[in-house]
Amino acid sequence: MPGPIQSLERAAAILRLLAGGERRFGLSEVATTLGLAKGTAHGILRTLHQEGFVEQDAKSGKYQLGAELLRLSSSYLDVHELRARALVWADDLARASGESVRIGVLHKGGVLVIHHVFRPDDSRQVLEIGAMLPLHSTAWGKVLLAVDPAARAELNESDPVAFTARTLTDPAAMDAESVTVRERGWACDIEESVLGLAAIAAPIRDRRGTPLGAVGISGAVERIVADGAPRATLVASVRDAARAISRDLGATFPY
């Protein structure tokens, strides 16, 4: 098994040093404290500075943590707060709908499942936390494509795959559906990812109205769909759950 990468270990040590101090550190201080050659410390600090992980004071030349670390930590906290706030509402949605519930967030060109509640019927099911769902063919992904510009930008960098005959892969068709999703406030997929399965999802937003993710249900087509469309009672349940989670995160309505 490969060992740790020394340059990354040293970069991590520098970040921890800057995080634990109450003042800025000069190059010599960083090198001496961590037992690094001055040239090595300077090379790592220069790279961290270029990536935004550290900042250098123009007058003193000393270093402190940079804004990029704050952005990454905020993203981490947003996801964990979202999951914590959603636990009760996701359980309630599973009971009300009789279907499995997933909460997903945009991640690396797809939807990362951060919470999954089993369908409450004691059937054999597989926990899907950590699974990735496609953006273009799932209700969760369609919600994010409709409300989060970053999602569409990531989709534009990929080549959507047709999983079934019903999967939308044409950009114009996906754009038109996004308009519909934004107008009605929810998305659905009917056998677009897996034959025999359908899903409904709605967006979760924070106090600024920023989309954080989506909550939705999925199950057999015959349970989710009636007369070719998602059952109105299930749509209402999903939207109520999304609004409840959003309110707990500080969102106000209308956005």
Side-chain angles (χ1 to χ4, degrees), residues 102 104 111 133-147 177 181 184-193 197-203 213-218 224 230 238:
R102 291 169 185 79
V111 181
L133 306 177
L135 274 174
H136 67 292
S137 63
T138 65
W140 295 266
K142 290 181 180 185
V143 164
L144 295 178
L145 286 175
V147 301
E177 183 160 29
V181 171
R184 69 188 182 190
W186 57 274
C188 70
D189 75 78
I190 302 174
E191 297 187 290
E192 293 180 49
S193 285
L197 294 181
I200 306 166
V215 58
I217 62 172
S218 64
I224 301 290
V238 170

Side-chain angles (χ1 to χ4, degrees), residues 138-161:
T138 65
W140 295 266
K142 290 181 180 185
V143 164
L144 295 178
L145 286 175
V147 301
D148 189 346
R152 190 51 199 256
E154 293 196 13
L155 183 66
N156 288 340
E157 297 177 1
S158 65
D159 187 15
V161 175

Side-chain angles (χ1 to χ4, degrees), residues 31-220:
T32 300
T33 303
L34 298 178
L36 300 175
K38 199 169 181 179
T40 299
H42 182 255
I44 295 172
L45 282 166
R46 185 176 64 247
T47 301
L48 292 172
H49 181 261
Q50 290 171 347
E51 295 299 324
F53 294 124
V54 303
E55 296 174 353
Q56 187 177 28
D57 182 71
K59 292 184 179 180
S60 68
K62 293 188 175 184
Y63 295 91
Q64 64 183 14
L65 293 181
E68 182 64 12
L69 278 176
L70 178 61
R71 187 188 70 81
L72 292 177
S73 63
S74 295
S75 176
Y76 173 85
L77 291 173
D78 282 348
V79 169
H80 284 264
E81 183 180 8
L82 168 57
R83 186 174 185 276
R85 298 281 186 175
L87 293 177
V88 173
W89 300 112
D91 287 344
D92 287 349
L93 178 57
R95 284 192 294 269
S97 66
E99 303 295 346
S100 63
V101 175
R102 291 169 185 79
I103 295 172
V105 297
L106 180 65
H107 181 70
K108 294 184 178 179
V111 181
L112 174 67
V113 178
I114 64 169
H115 188 55
H116 179 202
V117 182
F118 285 162
R119 185 173 62 254
D121 63 359
D122 297 325
S123 61
R124 185 182 295 275
Q125 298 171 66
V126 177
L127 189 66
E128 294 185 11
I129 293 175
M132 290 290 289
L133 306 177
L135 274 174
H136 67 292
S137 63
T138 65
W140 295 266
K142 290 181 180 185
V143 164
L144 295 178
L145 286 175
V147 301
D148 189 346
R152 190 51 199 256
E154 293 196 13
L155 183 66
N156 288 340
E157 297 177 1
S158 65
D159 187 15
V161 175
F163 297 108
T164 75
R166 303 185 65 142
T167 307
L168 292 181
T169 58
D170 177 65
M174 288 189 283
D175 284 342
E177 183 160 29
S178 288
V179 171
T180 300
V181 171
R182 279 194 297 273
E183 289 176 347
R184 69 188 182 190
W186 57 274
C188 70
D189 75 78
I190 302 174
E191 297 187 290
E192 293 180 49
S193 285
V194 180
L195 290 175
L197 294 181
I200 306 166
I204 298 170
R205 300 178 185 265
D206 65 11
R207 63 185 178 278
R208 299 177 297 273
T210 304
L212 294 182
V215 58
I217 62 172
S218 64

